[in-house]
Amino acid sequence: MVLFLVERTVSLPLAEAWRRLTEWPRHGAVVPLTRVTVVTPPPTGVGTVFVAHTGVGPLSFADPMEVTLWRPPGADGPGLCRLEKRGEVVRGWAELEVRPGPGGRARVVWREEIGIRFLPRLFDGVVHAVSRRVFGRAADRLLTMA
């Protein structure tokens, strides 16, 4: 398992940063070769399940995730969402946190522990670097998309 962290400070209200990060189908628009399907009916909350389908044709896999903690930001308080990855290929968890930052901006923290089944620990450094880059770019794009 590899743990990585992505942090951003953006000129958005907490609620808007939260919305942009937690509208799950939007993730498919920013993660390469991925589409996201929400399996459970709205609204999002504990128990929401969605699946990220990544790849092309036979070289693809499903990454099902379940929301296990759902605490949207309050007036000026932080928000936290925890996802458990329940797939055959990708395991682990992710936490998306939105909290007040300097100058009225939003501070976003994306923590993720990811493990890829059948991939030896020898590749942990590569998984860390690639994951941090891909999800860092995804966070940037999600936070700039209206």
Side-chain angles (χ1 to χ4, degrees), residues 6-67:
V6 172
E7 296 180 275
R8 301 291 188 264
T9 301
V10 293
S11 296
L12 293 170
L14 294 182
E16 180 61 13
W18 177 263
R19 181 192 70 79
R20 291 180 185 195
L21 288 172
T22 61
E23 285 185 358
W24 309 121
R26 291 167 49 95
H27 287 244
V30 300
V31 177
L33 303 174
T34 300
R35 65 181 164 72
V36 176
T37 306
V38 179
V39 178
T40 51
T44 294
V46 171
T48 295
V49 175
F50 59 95
V51 181
H53 301 273
T54 301
V56 178
L59 299 176
S60 64
F61 63 92
D63 182 9
M65 291 170 249
E66 180 178 351
V67 176

Side-chain angles (χ1 to χ4, degrees), residues 18 22 24 40 43-50 64-72 80-86 92-96 111:
W18 177 263
T22 61
W24 309 121
T40 51
T44 294
V46 171
T48 295
V49 175
F50 59 95
M65 291 170 249
E66 180 178 351
V67 176
T68 58
L69 175 68
W70 181 258
R71 192 173 60 223
L80 180 63
C81 174
R82 183 176 173 96
L83 309 169
E84 296 290 333
K85 294 175 165 285
R86 309 254 162 113
W93 54 266
E95 290 180 344
L96 304 174
R111 291 176 205 86

Side-chain angles (χ1 to χ4, degrees), residues 1-2 115-128:
M1 296 291 255
V2 172
I116 300 175
R117 194 171 181 190
F118 309 118
L119 196 62
R121 291 182 53 113
L122 171 70
F123 294 96
D124 282 359
V126 173
V127 171
H128 181 272

